[in-house]
Amino acid sequence: MAGPLLSSTEKIFILHGVQNDYRSDGRSNIDYRPMELETDVVSHASGSARLRLANTDILVGVKTEIDVPKPDNPGKGKIEFFVDCSANATPEFEGRGGEQLANSISNMMQRAYHTSQAFNLKQLCIFEGKQCWKLYVDILILECGGNLCDAVSLAVKAALFNTRLPFVKAALMDGGNVDLQLSDDPYDSKQLDIGCAPLLVTLCKIGDKCVVDPSAEEESCSVISLVVGVTGNPKFYCTEDTTNILNVECKCSTIGMNGPGSVAPKTLKDAINQGIIAAKCLDEALGKALLRERQETIVMKKHSYGFLK
Amino acid sequence: MTGHVSIKLASERVNHCVAANNELPRFYTPGEVISGMQDFMRGHGTYTEDDCLKSSVAGVMQKVNKLICIRPLKSRYVGEIGDVVVGRVLEVQQRRWKIETNSRLDSVLQLSSVNLPGGELRRRSAEDEQMMRKHLQEGDLISAEVQSVFSDGSLSLHTRSLKYGKLVQGTLVKVFPSLIKRRKNHFHNLPCGISVIIGNNGYIWISPQQQDILLEDNKDEIQNYELQPVSRTDRETMARVKNCIAALVASKMMLDDTSIMFAFEESLKYDNVKDLLDPEAMLDIAFLAQHRINTVMED
């Protein structure tokens, strides 16, 4: 995606700033801009979240469906990502303009969630070999202000945290077919275990250093950006005493590259380490925010804020 | 080495309003009836329907005797002759540059309305036309003045003064044009050692203060000067000014050198510039700056 037009001297200014570890709004290379999060914004979805990072606005809805598991993975459910770029974000997305970007983001998410250490698909199993849950994660990009991947992965994790799957009350076997009876009570439902769900961290290579959370201007200064998918730590998402939960080390579940440039092996190694550190901070902050929101909704009925300021 | 991440909930959203409750102006939305009476004159941003005067934009009312106008809060820049603007070169064309100035149509900078490098006054020749891209190329930022407004509303700019021309190192901040206060001077050297150009079109250019260099000296030296890294202290002050402007804009406060300077002085209690990105700190600064403006106004 072409960023805003910049003059050569503005680019030099940004470049020197990154080398100095002091960016144009006072952040260092590993600082994120403040974010705003709200879950349970779409009443018709099983789970939803909205995340705003500076000018990037993401809405995620999770829908559930009963499906037949794949023959080679009888005990696992399915998860599918679909990204839609709204033409409201930029005029470039009009028609099929955003398709390429949307595909690259959804592929990236699919890859990051693929491993069982990132997201345990076994929890989506209902009846081994016969029935499983299929999660449709619909991601809507409403506004583009740089750093889409990170915002998308945070919003997806929040939406999955918010997702509730109804309990199965009874199952009738009729020949080879299974007939399920689901609970109608919205509170009679289980939550997903998403502690390990991965977060994506985009590292923009500017000069020979990498920055996280690039603004749109910084994005147009760099020729290549690395996207590192890092698994989360379940202890940030538990309210109970965290001592009996295994402290899981963050693992890198996927790496992707965008842009025509190249990266030296040493830079790549540094970037991945930087990405893991950044993901850890993100994960902790997200977990805190989600638990805080859950605490609030227990005390009083949730008031929806939505998009109006 | 740990990064700084803050995720706020929507329920903790900060209301950026700094005005005291009783002085909030009435806000009109498009289609809203302003007055049912006939004895008013229809101004900008209004239309008549069913014998009623209605607003066509979202904004606040301005009344001069019998003339009613609605001034939109967010709009494109509507140029006036003599305005100082900051713009970006989009295209190099035959004897003119296309400049993006946040107005509805792209503005035009004629080759005949720039000072040629070297400052000599002569007829512009065919060679000058070929050298246009050397002078200003796509993506370059310039400061200019509105020379005339065409009948379709597009602007013709000029840079025929030493204070106008190409902008080098610094950052651009984009705000709503309606928040810029019209002043005699829009070029300011702030006491904190930073110079800002507050363009009437809502583009604000923040740059380190220029040392006096003679433009007539050899070109290499100027080129080198343009590429010199900006010192850390200048960078910090620039970032602070940028975040202060963002804080003022979030609270919809008018921008001029005094309000920016007040906000800057109030922001000094936050040691880290990045703390100013926090919505609560932004509100705090805007509130204190508004308070100081109010006290100055009373005196």
Side-chain angles (χ1 to χ4, degrees):
Chain A
M1 205 182 78
L5 203 59
L6 287 183
S7 73
S8 53
T9 42
E10 274 175 287
K11 285 185 180 171
I12 287 168
F13 180 77
I14 292 174
L15 184 82
H16 287 314
V18 171
Q19 272 169 6
N20 242 317
D21 199 15
Y22 200 87
R23 298 199 257 166
S24 65
D25 51 4
R27 287 183 293 149
S28 73
N29 288 349
I30 52 165
D31 284 333
Y32 274 80
R33 290 168 286 187
M35 287 169 249
E36 192 188 277
L37 178 75
E38 186 179 5
T39 57
D40 209 7
V41 276
V42 186
S43 54
H44 294 288
S46 305
S48 58
R50 186 186 86 102
L51 185 104
R52 188 175 177 85
L53 193 165
N55 277 328
T56 307
D57 219 323
I58 311 282
L59 181 67
V60 176
V62 181
K63 288 222 170 198
T64 49
E65 200 183 85
I66 293 176
D67 199 16
V68 182
K70 283 183 198 153
D72 50 340
N73 275 327
K76 285 184 179 175
K78 294 174 182 173
I79 185 166
E80 223 166 69
F81 296 90
F82 181 76
V83 180
D84 186 21
C85 297
S86 161
N88 282 344
T90 71
E92 289 164 37
F93 289 163
E94 214 176 309
R96 301 168 73 98
E99 214 163 69
Q100 204 185 350
L101 179 75
N103 280 339
S104 76
I105 294 177
S106 59
N107 286 341
M108 200 68 210
M109 291 300 291
Q110 199 80 54
R111 286 219 309 272
Y113 273 79
H114 185 70
T115 150
S116 63
Q117 287 182 7
F119 186 70
N120 192 0
L121 286 171
K122 281 193 180 124
Q123 58 184 312
L124 298 178
C125 176
I126 303 171
F127 205 88
E128 198 173 317
K130 300 273 191 223
Q131 307 251 270
C132 69
W133 288 109
K134 185 172 186 181
L135 299 182
Y136 289 99
V137 183
D138 293 310
I139 301 154
L140 186 59
I141 297 172
L142 294 167
E143 210 177 328
C144 261
N147 203 14
L148 280 176
C149 279
D150 301 26
V152 165
S153 72
L154 281 166
V156 167
K157 192 163 183 177
L160 287 174
F161 182 80
N162 183 238
T163 301
R164 285 167 174 275
L165 292 178
F167 280 124
V168 177
K169 278 207 297 201
L172 289 168
M173 275 291 262
D174 180 17
N177 297 330
V178 185
D179 196 15
L180 294 178
Q181 276 192 348
L182 297 177
S183 170
D184 294 330
D185 183 9
Y187 293 98
D188 189 20
S189 54
K190 71 164 178 179
Q191 287 161 2
L192 293 172
D193 167 34
I194 51 98
C196 294
L199 294 175
L200 302 179
V201 176
T202 311
L203 295 140
C204 228
K205 186 172 167 262
I206 299 175
D208 35 339
K209 288 206 176 174
C210 291
V211 296
V212 299
D213 192 17
S215 61
E217 283 81 19
E218 284 164 338
E219 269 177 5
S220 65
C221 274
S222 85
V223 282
I224 188 161
S225 64
L226 275 161
V227 184
V228 186
V230 184
T231 60
N233 194 337
K235 79 168 179 193
F236 296 135
Y237 297 87
C238 293
T239 35
E240 303 110 52
D241 194 17
T242 50
T243 42
N244 53 1
I245 288 160
L246 252 71
N247 200 358
V248 184
E249 266 304 301
C250 296
K251 297 186 186 85
C252 180
S253 69
T254 179
I255 299 175
M257 276 194 220
N258 292 321
S262 59
V263 183
K266 190 182 173 298
T267 324
L268 183 71
K269 220 171 151 187
D270 290 347
I272 292 171
N273 284 332
Q274 195 182 344
I276 289 174
I277 292 167
K280 221 174 184 173
C281 297
L282 272 182
D283 205 30
E284 193 174 350
L286 181 68
K288 269 187 196 154
L290 287 172
L291 290 177
R292 205 160 64 226
E293 181 157 54
R294 181 167 282 176
Q295 207 63 46
E296 266 176 34
T297 48
I298 290 170
V299 177
M300 51 187 167
K301 200 180 171 302
K302 195 181 170 303
H303 175 258
S304 184
Y305 291 86
F307 300 88
L308 291 175
K309 287 216 169 178
Chain B
M1 183 173 89
T2 49
H4 175 81
V5 183
S6 92
I7 300 181
K8 283 200 177 302
L9 297 177
S11 53
E12 299 158 352
R13 195 179 283 166
V14 174
N15 180 7
H16 281 284
C17 179
V18 288
N21 279 336
N22 49 2
E23 48 183 284
L24 259 181
R26 173 84 164 80
F27 197 79
Y28 289 91
T29 48
E32 199 176 341
V33 177
I34 304 165
S35 135
M37 285 178 289
Q38 284 294 294
D39 50 342
F40 282 112
M41 277 160 69
R42 198 168 64 86
H44 287 296
T46 60
Y47 66 100
T48 43
E49 198 182 68
D50 309 332
D51 291 339
C52 287
L53 194 61
K54 291 181 175 178
S55 161
S56 65
V57 292
V60 289
M61 180 166 69
Q62 269 183 335
K63 207 161 143 189
V64 182
N65 294 327
K66 280 187 165 182
L67 180 73
I68 291 184
C69 298
I70 300 288
R71 246 190 59 191
L73 179 64
K74 296 181 187 179
S75 76
R76 289 277 179 168
Y77 166 62
V78 183
E80 281 172 41
I81 294 173
D83 279 358
V84 173
V85 296
V86 174
R88 195 183 290 283
V89 178
L90 284 183
E91 232 179 287
V92 184
Q93 297 179 328
Q94 280 275 309
R95 255 168 276 149
R96 60 183 194 169
W97 288 273
K98 265 254 147 41
I99 314 283
E100 198 267 314
T101 51
N102 198 23
S103 33
R104 290 191 180 87
L105 297 163
D106 287 333
S107 309
V108 166
L109 177 68
Q110 303 271 5
L111 177 61
S112 58
S113 45
V114 299
N115 269 341
L116 292 176
E120 50 188 317
L121 294 170
R122 56 178 168 82
R123 281 182 68 117
R124 275 126 183 96
S125 60
E127 282 143 56
D128 288 326
E129 274 181 49
Q130 285 152 9
M131 297 287 274
M132 272 177 69
R133 195 167 262 116
K134 273 244 168 80
H135 187 51
L136 286 174
Q137 59 176 339
E138 287 90 347
D140 279 355
L141 273 172
I142 56 159
S143 63
E145 194 180 293
V146 178
Q147 188 169 37
S148 60
V149 184
F150 294 121
S151 55
D152 60 354
S154 64
L155 309 175
S156 168
L157 309 176
H158 82 88
T159 60
R160 283 175 155 277
S161 162
L162 276 181
K163 60 181 180 178
Y164 301 127
K166 192 170 155 183
L167 302 169
V168 285
Q169 288 204 47
T171 43
L172 181 73
V173 184
K174 293 179 182 174
V175 305
F176 309 130
S178 54
L179 291 180
I180 305 288
K181 214 173 220 172
R182 279 174 196 281
R183 281 289 147 104
K184 248 184 192 158
N185 188 13
H186 284 263
F187 290 76
H188 300 288
N189 282 328
L190 297 182
C192 51
I194 292 299
S195 68
V196 288
I197 303 172
I198 307 171
N200 278 112
N201 58 342
Y203 286 7
I204 301 176
W205 178 251
I206 308 168
S207 59
Q209 242 162 53
Q210 294 273 343
Q211 274 94 52
D212 288 321
I213 45 161
L214 288 171
L215 286 165
E216 277 80 26
D217 276 10
N218 56 357
K219 198 131 181 7
D220 292 349
E221 220 162 86
I222 297 168
Q223 203 84 74
N224 277 339
Y225 171 78
E226 283 176 4
L227 303 182
Q228 278 304 307
V230 178
S231 73
R232 175 70 181 240
T233 44
D234 276 354
R235 219 172 255 286
E236 274 172 31
T237 334
M238 284 169 69
R240 196 178 279 274
V241 171
K242 182 179 174 177
N243 292 351
C244 286
I245 291 174
L248 294 176
V249 170
S251 298
K252 310 269 184 318
M253 284 172 63
M254 294 297 273
L255 295 174
D256 63 347
D257 57 327
T258 25
S259 66
I260 293 174
M261 217 41 231
F262 282 163
F264 181 85
E265 281 160 19
E266 296 301 338
S267 80
L268 287 173
K269 69 175 178 190
Y270 295 92
D271 285 332
N272 267 326
V273 178
K274 65 185 174 198
D275 294 343
L276 302 179
L277 293 170
D278 184 58
E280 273 148 29
M282 285 166 84
L283 177 67
D284 181 38
I285 291 163
F287 184 78
L288 292 170
Q290 178 70 54
H291 183 71
R292 276 183 69 176
I293 290 169
N294 288 346
T295 44
V296 169
M297 295 260 274
E298 276 165 24
D299 288 346

